[in-house]
């Protein structure tokens, strides 16, 4: 069975600095999707970034980028120039070819002014 | 506007009663999902469905039941067999497969907060 692990329950970053959130996953599939979602206090789930496993190039979305290491089954999220609005719970997610979508335990990010 | 709607936002249930949470989407998505979130915890998959009249158990299906009679609807029933039902419940939908990058992510509802009293 597939699993997603986020080993950092909490992280903190100074405003304007860079922070990296870790995520590892376990799967025997070769075709899958990976996602990072943000959940602010409103609890609305917001997509941050997506990565298709068949793509070697790391995805980027403005200040957000990933380091996708397929062989190592690692999918970390880098947030550059951190802003106060980035403070939230961040979830890593895996979706396999069969459609099952599973999440990691989450990392709570705080941003210090 | 297209989207996914959960209702109600808050729900109270007496012990021993069944209760049904509603989830409706007009995004024409094939796949739908139900998750449970406890305080400070991640999202745990309860059930998911890829097609009408078919669904699969997730990691914590015991004490829950679902149906998928229409593509747009995926209601979740929390039965009296669920020992600790107080939690935040999230519904999501997505397309199943694409030939490229288009909208592969899941879209979420606003959630339902269920409290057993």
């Amino acid at each position: 069975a597939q699993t997603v692990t986020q080993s950092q329950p909490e992280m903190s970053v100074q405003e304007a600095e860079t922070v990296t959130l870790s995520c590892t996953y376990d799967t025997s599939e070769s075709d899958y999707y990976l996602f990072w979602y943000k959940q602010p206090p409103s609890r609305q789930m917001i997509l941050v970034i997506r990565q298709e496993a068949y793509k070697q190039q790391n995805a980027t979305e403005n200040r957000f980028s990933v380091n996708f290491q397929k062989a190592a089954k690692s999918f970390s999220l880098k947030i550059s120039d951190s802003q106060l609005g980035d403070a939230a719970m961040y979830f890593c997610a895996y979706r396999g070819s069969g459609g099952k979508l599973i999440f990691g335990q989450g990392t709570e990010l705080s941003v210090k002014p | 506007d297209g989207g996914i709607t959960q209702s109600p936002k808050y729900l109270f249930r007496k012990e021993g009663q069944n209760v049904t949470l509603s989830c409706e989407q007009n995004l024409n998505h094939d796949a739908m999902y139900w998750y449970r979130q406890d305080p400070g915890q991640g999202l745990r998959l309860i059930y998911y469905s890829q097609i009408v009249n078919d669904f699969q158990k997730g990691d914590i299906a015991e004490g829950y039941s679902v149906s998928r009679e229409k593509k747009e609807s995926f209601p979740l029933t929390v039965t009296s067999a669920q020992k600790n039902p107080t939690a935040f419940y999230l519904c999501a939908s997505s397309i199943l497969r694409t030939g490229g990058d288009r909208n592969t992510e899941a879209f979420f509802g606003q959630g339902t907060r269920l409290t057993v009293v």
Side-chain angles (χ1 to χ4, degrees):
Chain A
Q2 297 90 3
T3 58
V4 177
T5 301
Q6 292 179 248
S7 58
Q8 305 156 316
E10 299 175 349
M11 290 285 284
S12 180
V13 64
Q14 205 72 34
E15 195 175 6
E17 297 296 311
T18 296
V19 65
T20 298
L21 308 184
S22 301
C23 173
T24 58
Y25 58 95
D26 189 23
T27 184
S28 58
E29 297 181 315
S30 59
D31 182 20
Y32 51 87
Y33 298 94
L34 296 165
F35 308 92
W36 278 98
Y37 281 88
K38 170 184 177 180
Q39 188 183 45
S42 67
R43 289 198 156 184
Q44 179 64 49
M45 295 289 285
I46 302 165
L47 177 73
V48 175
I49 200 164
R50 73 168 74 85
Q51 175 81 43
E52 292 74 24
Y54 66 86
K55 288 189 172 181
Q56 294 185 342
Q57 186 173 5
N58 289 326
T60 61
E61 287 287 343
N62 301 314
R63 298 183 294 108
F64 299 88
S65 62
V66 298
N67 183 4
F68 174 47
Q69 302 289 328
K70 191 171 184 179
K73 297 178 183 175
S74 171
F75 183 59
S76 61
L77 174 70
K78 185 172 83 171
I79 306 174
S80 304
D81 186 24
S82 297
Q83 300 175 0
L84 295 177
D86 294 334
M89 185 73 88
Y90 285 81
F91 292 102
C92 178
Y94 168 100
R95 198 186 90 182
S97 57
K100 187 177 182 181
L101 176 64
I102 58 173
F103 287 79
Q105 304 92 323
T107 297
E108 186 166 9
L109 177 68
S110 59
V111 181
K112 297 179 179 178
Chain B
D1 289 337
I4 181 165
T5 302
Q6 288 186 242
S7 61
K9 189 173 182 179
Y10 299 97
L11 189 58
F12 297 87
R13 187 195 94 173
K14 291 184 178 180
E15 283 193 33
Q17 288 182 339
N18 292 355
V19 64
T20 297
L21 282 59
S22 171
C23 180
E24 304 275 335
Q25 54 97 1
N26 60 3
L27 299 167
N28 199 32
H29 285 168
D30 291 303
M32 296 188 74
Y33 309 84
W34 273 107
Y35 296 91
R36 170 181 173 139
Q37 187 177 24
D38 293 286
Q41 307 252 336
L43 279 66
R44 291 187 288 168
L45 181 63
I46 305 172
Y47 271 98
Y48 66 107
S49 169
Q50 300 172 62
I51 194 169
V52 173
N53 293 322
D54 189 36
F55 45 82
Q56 289 75 43
K57 291 182 178 181
D59 299 320
I60 56 165
E62 185 175 352
Y64 300 97
S65 65
V66 293
S67 63
R68 188 87 186 273
E69 297 178 0
K70 298 186 299 181
K71 187 175 185 178
E72 300 79 17
S73 179
F74 192 42
L76 173 74
T77 296
V78 184
T79 75
S80 57
Q82 170 51 236
K83 298 304 178 187
N84 186 21
T86 294
F88 184 67
Y89 292 86
L90 279 165
C91 180
S93 70
S94 73
I95 58 175
L96 268 180
R97 290 194 62 84
T98 72
D101 304 345
R102 184 180 64 85
N103 293 341
T104 53
E105 73 274 19
F107 291 77
F108 284 82
Q110 301 276 16
T112 294
R113 172 68 183 175
L114 173 64
T115 303
V116 173
V117 297

